[in-house]
């Protein structure tokens, strides 16, 4: 039996090379994308974990401030050090400094070398023989990667700068334990504290417990006794936080890969169904000769698998190559911006490879399932006599067929109302799959109902033949249309989603960029010299607004929340923040007001009007939530607070960003006025138009992969149409030859086949457009809010969609020209004579 | 080798049965011609015997174990066909994607004959039907007569108990039809196989051991 199966598979590959290869490639594409995304993400996380392990070491717990602007008081470190369960606690001060004249800040870690030896051995410095001073004399130790980047070596004098503070020192050695991508400096904690602060406090305390102590129990016991502004983290919280950071983006990319796989499954479906139809007489003969129904079913499944296995293997190889290429081009976060600067090493992995291989096989088997079922069910005697015959469904089946799309639509509607599951829009994705199934299931109903009516009208012969064929062979029409339905629906939905998002971002940028000019330092405070100069009356600025950004840890396992301290009027915040709903006035008294971003509102289920206890400035501070504002730049939430409130609460406002309004007519003078400061302090200046252009360009780049996939999907859909039409023409060779013998010219036959292709394409595009709008709505209203917490209004770009549909229709007519040529290629007499 | 008893068949929307209470027996090695006008049900009877269509009533016992194909399920019918029945069709029905030798060995694969025997048995049959050296040829390069010889070889290669032939010379010119007919009868007799041949050809019918005429009133 295996011999016969093998013969038939080989014959299938020999006789249907193009369709089989394309199906294989579609499966390969899906597997490749999925595997590549997995490899890249896994490598990026491993890379991050390694870098984190270098810097963080291997502690049992980390004591840190919840507020990035805050710090851990030395008394807290000393209290913990006195705990008999604690073997050692290593205090650490971490800050970012510029090494002049470089503009980009790097990490400076101040440590106590004795305790660090127990917890963070990879950060231990190595003294250079050529330098006299050591760690305790105020030397800094630079990672080899940073030394290479700066082109410096031990003994070089450097100036480290953070805002107005600076430290002139010497490179006393390197950090042999750091990795090839680690850009950091290490110095003695006392020296770092002296030059950059904080006084009587540190950034973190890294705890190593006595061997007999259970770290989880110890952390749980101590967590309740800590001051409100401090947090005791487990070392793997950071890994979970980083994994959560890119989770939704990753899942979204994986869903795109699954979509490619789904398209592959549809192509296998079209290929196998047409193959079954074309070979129905042969399968019937094998059935007559004794091939059991089960074996006829298995044969088609095996043929599907014969497409899936090499396709998936090819996909794995392609996925590895793609992963290598993507990490070089886009970095470890695929352009998502989550692990900036990461270019991890890609290592092929056996278990994920097997899982993606299995997924490719499952997709091809799923595609072959219905054709296999039809092959099993074909009545042998009838198929032997007249070839493939689609039996009309019985009364009940017909009713079910009509009801099915309605029931599925209801189910999809219910799914769109469900909340995220494990923080992922799984119900939304299922609703999208259902919409596609509805589209495909409704194709035969539409063709029968619309074209059945047309076929009864008086029409010229070619048109009548074409319309009758579409109306009477709904299964073939369904197969031919299904590829277009899926590909156009997905393309249209992405166009709708991207367009809605772009329009929303465009409007949002209008609101969040009120000033003509912006200046920022990179994570370090702006120099006082500049801030003081800006207060002079002769400056070319009519107005200057300062803001600072820090971060808060609300949930250690989730990414940090941004804290924006801005010059906002408490009574009129809508002048600076794009609110999505009403702005509530705070209750009487001196409670601070914060305005939260949509993401924070959704992730932490915080509503306007509530009071919150925020871990701010080393304590839990009660604040009033005055409203929710739209923020497309911080996916994990942001809290805005007015500068006045922040300072009233005791916060040290150190601005990092400026919004500048040059006086009318003094725009050029304003830029020239800023130039000396930007050069001296490594600051960045950009005008609003430039920021807008850059933002939209980043937006467009991040969707570039999607556009490529859309183009691939459309090509696959068109090819599916051409293949199915060609197969359908091949099945009707005798019928077409008979028409030729009866007096149809080649031109008339060709026109009939092309019209048939155009009608099927029109049905596919119409349904595809309807499904695309439905899926686009789900993407913008369900998937984006649930996965990324981005809400936006639906914007349907009709001109782009209709132009896309029109050009696809033209392409479909051209594709059906191929089928028409097949139909008229052979001489009529030969076809009739060879007909069995 | 074939016993049909009380066989009745009515098409779903037909007013009267196509045939009812048919009964006949074909002994081992006996060749029987089934004649009758078009539409009388000859092909349907053949399909019922092969288990390709279900009979409404009656029994059809085939092979040395006299298995009643009417009572068997689809899978068992397929197995019975693979083991005990060989087919020759008017339209040849040779698989275009397999070469001549592969076509002939399909029944051997289906009834589980050890792979080592395939080549020799196929070769013997090719020689017996006058197609020695044609094993590697593709069906598209063969004439109608040659295709029917391939079909005859395929019908006989697994030494079935019964050959069912539906108008085996219907698509051939008289000279080729004569040659193919002689070949078929010769080989069937040589293998001591029973055969039921549906035909409109009087010369063919006359060459058989017995003639059954199917009429709207039954067998005569």
């Amino acid at each position: 039996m295996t011999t016969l199966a093998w013969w038939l598979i080989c014959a299938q590959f020999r006789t249907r090379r193009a369709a089989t290869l394309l199906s294989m490639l579609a499966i390969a594409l899906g597997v490749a994308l999925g595997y590549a995304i997995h490899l890249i993400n896994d490598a990026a996380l491993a890379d991050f974990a390694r870098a984190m392990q270098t810097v963080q070491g291997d502690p049992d717990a980390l004591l840190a401030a919840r507020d990035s602007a805050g710090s851990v008081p030395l008394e807290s470190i000393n209290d913990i050090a006195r705990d008999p369960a604690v073997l050692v606690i290593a205090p650490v001060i971490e800050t970012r400094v510029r090494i002049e004249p470089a503009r980009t800040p790097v990490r400076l870690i101040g440590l106590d070398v004795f305790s660090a030896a127990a917890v963070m051995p990879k950060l231990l410095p190595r003294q250079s023989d050529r330098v006299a001073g050591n760690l305790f004399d105020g030397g800094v130790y630079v990672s080899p990667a940073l030394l290479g980047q700066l082109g410096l070596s031990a003994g070089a004098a450097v100036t480290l700068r953070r805002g107005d503070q600076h430290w002139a020192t010497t490179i006393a050695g390197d950090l042999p334990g750091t990795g090839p991508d680690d850009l950091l400096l290490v110095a003695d904690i006392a020296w770092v504290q002296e030059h950059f602060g904080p006084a009587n406090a540190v950034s973190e305390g890294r705890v190593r417990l006595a061997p007999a102590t259970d770290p989880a129990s110890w952390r749980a016991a101590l967590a309740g006794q800590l001051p409100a502004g401090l947090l005791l983290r487990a070392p793997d919280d950071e890994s979970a936080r980083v994994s959560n950071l890119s989770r939704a983006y990753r899942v979204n990319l994986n869903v795109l890969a699954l979509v490619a796989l789904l398209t592959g499954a549809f192509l296998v479906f079209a290929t196998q169904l047409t193959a079954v139809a074309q070979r129905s007489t042969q399968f019937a003969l094998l059935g007559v000769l004794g091939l059991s129904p089960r074996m006829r079913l298995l044969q088609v499944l095996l043929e599907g698998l014969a497409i899936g296995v090499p396709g998936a293997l090819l996909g794995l190889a392609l996925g590895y190559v793609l992963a290598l290429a993507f990490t070089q081009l886009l970095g470890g976060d695929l352009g998502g911006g989550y692990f900036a600067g990461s270019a991890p090493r890609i290592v092929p992995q056996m278990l994920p490879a097997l899982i993606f291989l299995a997924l490719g096989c499952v997709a091809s088997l799923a595609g072959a399932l219905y054709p296999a079922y039809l092959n099993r069910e074909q009545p042998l005697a009838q198929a032997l006599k007249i070839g493939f015959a689609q039996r009309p469904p019985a009364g009940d089946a017909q009713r079910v067929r009509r009801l099915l799309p309605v029931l599925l639509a209801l189910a999809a509607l219910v799914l769109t109302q469900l909340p995220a599951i494990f923080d992922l829009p799984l119900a939304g994705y299922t609703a999208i799959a259902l919409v596609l199934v509805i589209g495909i299931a409704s194709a035969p109903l539409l063709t029968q109902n619309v074209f059945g009516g047309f076929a009864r009208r008086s029409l010229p012969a070619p048109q009548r033949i074409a319309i009758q064929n579409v109306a009477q062979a709904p299964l073939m029409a369904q197969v031919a249309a299904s590829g277009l339905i899926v590909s156009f629906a997905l393309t249209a939905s992405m166009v709708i989603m991207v367009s809605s998002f772009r329009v929303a971002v465009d409007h949002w940028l209008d609101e969040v960029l009120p000033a003509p000019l912006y200046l920022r330092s990179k994570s370090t405070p702006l120099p006082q010299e500049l801030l003081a100069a800006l207060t002079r009356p002769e400056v070319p600025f009519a107005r200057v607004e300062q803001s600072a950004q820090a971060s808060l840890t609300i949930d250690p396992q989730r990414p940090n929340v941004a804290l924006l301290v801005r010059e906002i009027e408490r009574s009129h915040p809508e002048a600076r923040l794009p609110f999505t709903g009403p702005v509530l006035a705070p209750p009487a008294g001196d409670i601070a007001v914060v305005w939260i971003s949509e993401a924070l509102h959704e992730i932490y289920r915080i509503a306007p009007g509530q009071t919150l206890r925020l871990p701010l400035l080393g304590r839990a501070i009660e604040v009033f939530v005055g409203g929710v504002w739209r923020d497309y730049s911080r996916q994990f939430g942001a809290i805005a607070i007015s500068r006045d409130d922040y300072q009233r609460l005791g916060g040290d406002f150190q601005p990092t960003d400026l919004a500048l309004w040059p006086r009318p007519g003094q725009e050029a003078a304003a830029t020239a006025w800023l130039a000396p400061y930007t050069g001296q302090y490594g600051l960045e200046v950009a005008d609003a138009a430039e920021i807008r252009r850059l933002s939209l360009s980043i937006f467009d780049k991040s969707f570039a992969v999607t556009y490529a996939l859309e183009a691939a999907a459309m090509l696959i859909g068109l090819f599916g149409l051409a293949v199915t039409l060609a197969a359908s023409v091949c099945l009707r060779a005798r019928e077409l030859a008979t028409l030729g013998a009866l007096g149809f010219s080649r031109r008339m036959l060709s026109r009939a086949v092309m019209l048939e292709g155009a009608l099927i394409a029109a049905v596919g595009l119409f349904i595809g457009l309807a499904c695309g709008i439905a899926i686009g709505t789900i993407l913008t209203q369900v998937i984006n809010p649930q996965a990324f917490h981005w809400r936006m209004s639906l914007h349907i770009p009709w001109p782009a969609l209709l132009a896309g549909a029109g050009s696809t229709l033209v392409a479909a007519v051209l594709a059906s020209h191929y089928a028409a040529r097949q139909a008229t290629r052979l001489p009529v007499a030969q076809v009739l004579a060879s007909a069995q | 080798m074939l016993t049909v008893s009380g066989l009745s068949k009515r098409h779903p929307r037909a007013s009267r049965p196509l045939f009812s209470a048919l009964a006949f027996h074909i002994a081992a090695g006996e060749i029987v011609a089934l004649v009758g006008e078009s539409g009388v049900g000859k092909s349907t009877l053949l399909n019922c015997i092969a288990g390709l269509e279900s009979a409404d009533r009656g029994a059809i016992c085939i092979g040395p174990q006299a298995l009643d194909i009417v009572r068997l399920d689809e899978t068992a019918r397929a197995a019975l066909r693979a083991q005990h029945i060989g087919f020759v069709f008017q339209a040849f029905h040779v698989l275009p994607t397999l070469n001549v030798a592969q076509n002939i060995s399909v029944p051997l694969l289906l009834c589980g004959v050890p792979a080592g025997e395939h080549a020799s048995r196929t070769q013997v049959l090719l020689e017996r039907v006058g197609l020695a050296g044609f094993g590697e040829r593709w069906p598209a390069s063969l004439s109608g007569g040659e295709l029917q010889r391939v079909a005859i070889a395929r019908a006989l290669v697994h030494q079935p108990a019964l050959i069912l032939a539906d108008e085996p010379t219907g698509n051939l010119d008289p000279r080729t039809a004569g040659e193919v007919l002689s070949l078929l009868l010769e080989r069937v007799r040589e293998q001591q196989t029973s055969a039921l041949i549906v035909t409109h050809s009087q010369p063919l019918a006359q060459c058989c051991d017995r003639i059954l005429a199917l009429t709207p009133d039954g067998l005569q």
Side-chain angles (χ1 to χ4, degrees):
Chain A
M1 268 318 301
T2 46
T3 311
L4 180 60
W6 179 242
W7 285 352
L8 293 175
I9 289 169
C10 291
Q12 158 84 338
F13 275 45
R14 212 171 39 237
T15 53
R16 297 173 57 82
R17 259 185 230 130
T20 309
L21 266 178
L22 196 87
S23 308
M24 214 178 263
L25 281 178
I27 295 285
L29 183 69
V31 170
L33 283 172
Y35 187 52
I37 290 163
H38 176 86
L39 284 181
I40 292 167
N41 184 65
D42 212 59
L45 288 181
D47 195 48
F48 184 85
R50 188 205 52 74
M52 197 177 67
Q53 214 257 337
T54 301
V55 174
Q56 185 180 279
D58 188 23
D60 295 313
L62 292 106
L63 180 69
R66 283 178 179 272
D67 174 1
S68 69
S71 51
V72 183
L74 283 177
E75 316 77 275
S76 300
I77 297 282
N78 293 335
D79 285 349
I80 290 177
R82 280 193 288 273
D83 187 332
V86 173
L87 202 61
V88 64
I89 177 164
V92 169
I93 292 179
E94 189 175 331
T95 187
R96 294 181 79 79
V97 294
R98 275 193 316 115
I99 304 171
E100 288 192 330
R103 297 172 80 93
T104 309
V106 291
R107 277 170 130 175
L108 168 64
I109 297 170
L111 47 75
D112 159 42
V113 72
F114 301 109
S115 55
V119 184
M120 302 165 284
K122 288 187 176 169
L123 285 187
L124 289 183
R126 179 170 62 185
Q127 180 70 35
S128 166
D129 300 339
R130 290 180 289 151
V131 183
N134 62 25
L135 187 77
F136 306 109
D137 300 324
V140 294
Y141 297 78
V142 185
S143 66
L146 185 58
L147 278 177
Q149 194 182 77
L150 296 171
L152 296 173
S153 57
V158 287
T159 301
L160 311 183
R161 186 175 285 279
R162 182 176 182 274
D164 290 311
Q165 298 151 319
H166 70 279
W167 178 20
T169 181
T170 308
I171 299 176
D174 65 355
L175 302 166
T178 56
D181 298 326
D182 297 329
L183 302 174
L184 52 94
L185 304 156
V186 163
D188 181 67
I189 191 165
W191 283 91
V192 175
Q193 194 168 38
E194 183 185 323
H195 287 95
F196 301 114
N200 299 317
V202 296
S203 310
E204 270 186 13
R206 295 171 189 175
V207 181
R208 168 63 51 80
L209 295 170
T213 312
D214 172 44
S217 318
W218 182 82
R219 284 194 303 264
L222 193 67
Q225 303 165 26
L226 287 175
L230 297 184
L231 171 77
L232 200 58
R233 290 201 318 252
D236 45 2
D237 280 352
E238 193 68 2
S239 304
R241 188 183 70 78
V242 170
S243 179
N244 279 334
L245 196 67
S246 62
R247 187 161 166 250
Y249 186 68
R250 218 163 61 224
V251 168
N252 219 32
L253 286 175
N254 274 319
V255 169
L256 272 181
L258 279 179
V259 164
L261 210 54
L262 188 74
T263 317
F266 274 113
L267 212 58
V268 172
F269 168 69
T271 307
Q272 285 307 98
L273 189 57
T274 48
V276 163
Q278 273 183 322
R279 296 179 299 163
S280 59
T281 314
Q282 296 174 41
F283 274 119
L285 173 70
L286 289 171
V288 168
L289 294 181
L291 191 68
S292 68
R294 191 167 148 266
M295 293 310 292
R296 294 202 297 276
L297 178 122
L298 280 178
Q299 179 62 37
V300 180
L301 290 181
L302 272 179
E303 288 176 5
L305 211 54
I307 293 174
V309 172
L313 286 172
L314 180 68
L316 291 179
L318 197 62
Y320 177 66
V321 174
L322 276 179
L324 287 177
F326 280 173
T327 43
Q328 294 305 313
L329 291 173
L330 302 170
D333 54 2
L334 293 174
Y338 300 105
F339 316 125
S342 153
R345 202 164 68 86
I346 301 295
V347 183
Q349 295 164 335
M350 185 52 83
L351 184 65
L354 287 176
I355 292 172
F356 281 100
L357 178 71
L359 270 177
C361 295
V362 167
S364 60
L365 278 178
L369 203 58
Y370 184 60
Y373 166 77
L374 279 184
N375 193 40
R376 194 187 72 168
E377 294 300 306
Q378 277 291 296
L380 296 181
Q382 192 186 347
L384 205 56
K385 206 166 158 185
I386 60 164
F388 182 75
Q390 191 198 350
R391 280 181 291 184
D396 280 350
Q398 186 74 1
R399 269 192 295 282
V400 168
R401 188 177 272 202
R402 282 176 195 283
L403 263 179
L404 189 68
V406 180
L407 294 175
L408 290 178
L410 283 174
L413 197 66
V414 170
L415 285 171
T416 58
Q417 304 306 308
L418 296 180
I421 301 163
F422 305 120
D423 280 343
L424 293 172
L426 299 180
Y429 289 131
T430 314
I432 288 177
L434 280 187
V435 170
L436 290 177
V437 174
I438 294 166
I440 291 165
S442 56
L445 297 177
L446 197 72
T447 47
Q448 265 174 328
N449 290 329
V450 174
F451 298 114
F454 273 119
R456 284 189 286 277
R457 297 197 176 172
S458 171
L459 290 167
Q463 282 88 323
R464 198 186 171 92
I465 294 286
I467 289 175
Q468 260 176 346
N469 271 325
V470 177
Q472 287 172 7
L475 181 66
M476 291 313 279
Q478 182 181 18
V479 176
S482 62
L484 271 186
I485 291 172
V486 173
S487 53
F488 195 68
L490 293 172
T491 303
S493 64
M494 288 308 287
V495 168
I496 291 169
M497 194 275 279
V498 172
S499 167
S500 303
F501 203 174
R502 206 175 191 283
V503 168
V505 168
D506 205 10
H507 288 165
W508 176 75
L509 285 172
D510 277 344
E511 296 188 71
V512 296
L513 295 174
L517 210 55
Y518 288 85
L519 180 141
R520 65 164 191 158
S521 62
K522 294 167 186 166
S523 316
T524 61
L526 287 169
Q528 281 303 323
E529 185 194 355
L530 168 67
L531 297 175
L534 280 168
T535 58
R536 289 186 215 127
E538 70 274 16
V539 291
F541 299 104
R543 182 180 173 81
V544 177
E545 281 183 10
Q546 304 176 353
S547 60
Q549 185 167 331
S551 63
L552 299 179
T553 306
I554 294 181
D555 175 351
Q557 294 235 323
R558 287 183 189 274
N560 283 347
V561 169
L563 175 73
L564 310 178
V565 186
R566 294 182 58 178
E567 292 185 281
I568 298 175
E569 282 180 45
R570 247 173 87 113
S571 56
H572 191 42
E574 53 271 46
R576 287 292 173 264
L577 293 171
F579 284 95
T580 60
V583 178
L584 305 179
D590 58 357
I591 187 167
V593 189
V594 296
W595 302 279
I596 59 171
S597 71
E598 261 178 323
L600 199 81
H601 164 64
E602 294 192 6
I603 297 172
Y604 296 95
R605 311 226 175 277
I606 302 169
Q610 280 184 319
T611 52
L612 286 181
R613 292 183 73 78
L614 272 188
L616 197 61
L617 305 168
R619 55 192 200 272
I621 294 175
E622 191 163 78
V623 293
F624 175 80
V625 179
V628 175
W629 53 282
R630 181 146 295 164
D631 183 12
Y632 289 134
S633 65
R634 298 165 199 90
Q635 188 191 329
F636 304 100
I639 297 172
I641 186 168
S642 77
R643 171 189 172 160
D644 294 344
D645 268 359
Y646 186 71
Q647 287 181 319
R648 198 161 43 79
L649 292 169
D652 177 17
F653 179 64
Q654 292 189 327
T656 54
D657 296 67
L658 297 177
L660 302 151
W661 282 260
R663 293 186 198 282
Q666 295 197 30
E667 288 78 8
T671 313
W673 188 91
L674 289 170
Y677 297 101
T678 55
Q680 186 184 346
Y681 294 104
L683 308 174
E684 278 183 359
V685 178
D687 63 36
E690 197 181 329
I691 295 174
R692 161 193 287 279
R693 192 173 41 75
L694 195 69
S695 303
L696 292 177
S697 141
I698 291 170
F699 178 93
D700 291 339
K701 257 190 219 163
S702 67
F703 283 101
V705 178
T706 329
Y707 295 136
L709 274 178
E710 284 169 25
M714 285 314 301
L715 272 180
I716 288 172
L718 280 172
F719 196 88
L721 177 79
V723 165
T724 319
L725 272 180
S728 157
V729 162
C730 188
L731 280 175
R732 303 198 323 263
R734 235 189 311 179
E735 175 198 325
L736 292 169
T738 308
L739 289 173
L742 292 176
F744 268 62
S745 67
R746 283 189 176 199
R747 203 168 155 202
M748 286 163 83
L749 285 176
S750 176
R751 267 169 44 199
V753 172
M754 283 174 72
L755 179 64
E756 193 178 324
L759 292 175
I760 291 173
V763 168
L765 289 171
F766 176 75
I767 298 176
L769 182 61
C771 291
I773 292 173
I775 296 172
T777 311
I778 296 173
L779 283 174
T780 50
Q781 307 302 307
V782 180
I783 305 289
N784 269 346
Q786 289 187 3
F788 304 108
H789 314 291
W790 289 323
R791 289 192 180 275
M792 64 203 72
S793 310
L794 185 68
H795 177 261
I796 300 177
W798 287 109
L801 289 179
L802 293 178
S807 50
T808 310
L809 189 62
V810 171
V813 172
L814 290 177
S816 57
H817 180 65
Y818 162 72
R821 269 183 45 207
Q822 298 277 95
T824 54
R825 199 183 47 176
L826 291 175
V828 168
Q830 191 183 329
V831 175
L832 288 175
S834 66
Q836 293 187 357
Chain B
M1 279 299 130
L2 170 68
T3 305
V4 174
S5 51
L7 195 70
S8 299
K9 172 79 179 173
R10 180 204 290 265
H11 282 312
R13 280 180 288 277
S15 56
R16 58 189 292 263
L18 194 60
F19 45 76
S20 63
L22 292 187
F24 61 93
H25 173 77
I26 300 176
E30 189 182 16
I31 300 175
V32 175
L34 179 63
V35 298
E37 290 173 3
S38 294
V40 80
K42 301 186 297 296
S43 294
T44 305
L45 175 59
L46 217 60
N47 285 342
C48 289
I49 292 170
L52 303 176
E53 285 188 50
S54 301
D56 298 334
R57 259 196 307 277
I60 302 166
C61 299
I62 299 167
Q65 285 96 30
L67 291 170
D68 182 1
I69 202 164
V70 177
R71 311 257 174 281
L72 300 179
D73 65 17
E74 263 301 313
T75 306
R77 285 179 188 186
L80 188 131
R81 283 197 298 272
Q83 286 291 337
H84 299 301
I85 304 178
F87 292 89
V88 183
F89 304 95
Q90 178 180 4
F92 321 137
H93 286 313
V94 173
L95 297 170
T97 51
L98 303 187
N99 66 27
V100 167
Q102 286 173 330
N103 261 288
I104 294 173
S105 58
V106 165
L108 301 176
L109 291 167
L110 290 173
C111 60
V113 172
E117 295 179 28
H118 290 194
S120 56
R121 284 172 74 164
T122 306
Q123 198 51 42
V124 168
L125 257 300
L126 275 171
E127 283 166 16
R128 287 193 184 160
V129 297
L131 293 177
F134 277 60
E136 296 299 314
R137 299 262 302 260
W138 293 94
S141 67
L142 303 185
S143 68
E146 287 166 341
L147 285 172
Q148 198 60 307
R149 285 164 190 259
V150 174
I152 291 169
R154 184 182 63 197
L156 293 165
V157 72
H158 56 308
Q159 296 172 336
L162 175 67
I163 295 285
L164 296 176
D166 192 357
E167 298 274 8
T169 57
N171 273 5
L172 302 174
D173 64 79
R175 194 174 65 81
T176 312
E179 287 171 13
V180 165
L181 174 65
S182 310
L183 182 76
L184 175 65
L185 297 179
E186 218 172 281
R187 299 284 83 87
V188 167
R189 289 207 167 98
E190 189 179 87
Q191 285 194 192
Q192 279 294 294
T193 303
S194 309
L196 177 62
I197 303 174
V198 171
T199 183
H200 285 292
S201 158
Q202 271 307 312
L204 191 158
Q206 295 302 330
C207 294
C208 296
D209 300 332
R210 188 152 57 99
I211 298 175
L212 289 174
L214 184 61
T215 68
D217 300 324
L219 278 174
Q220 289 174 0

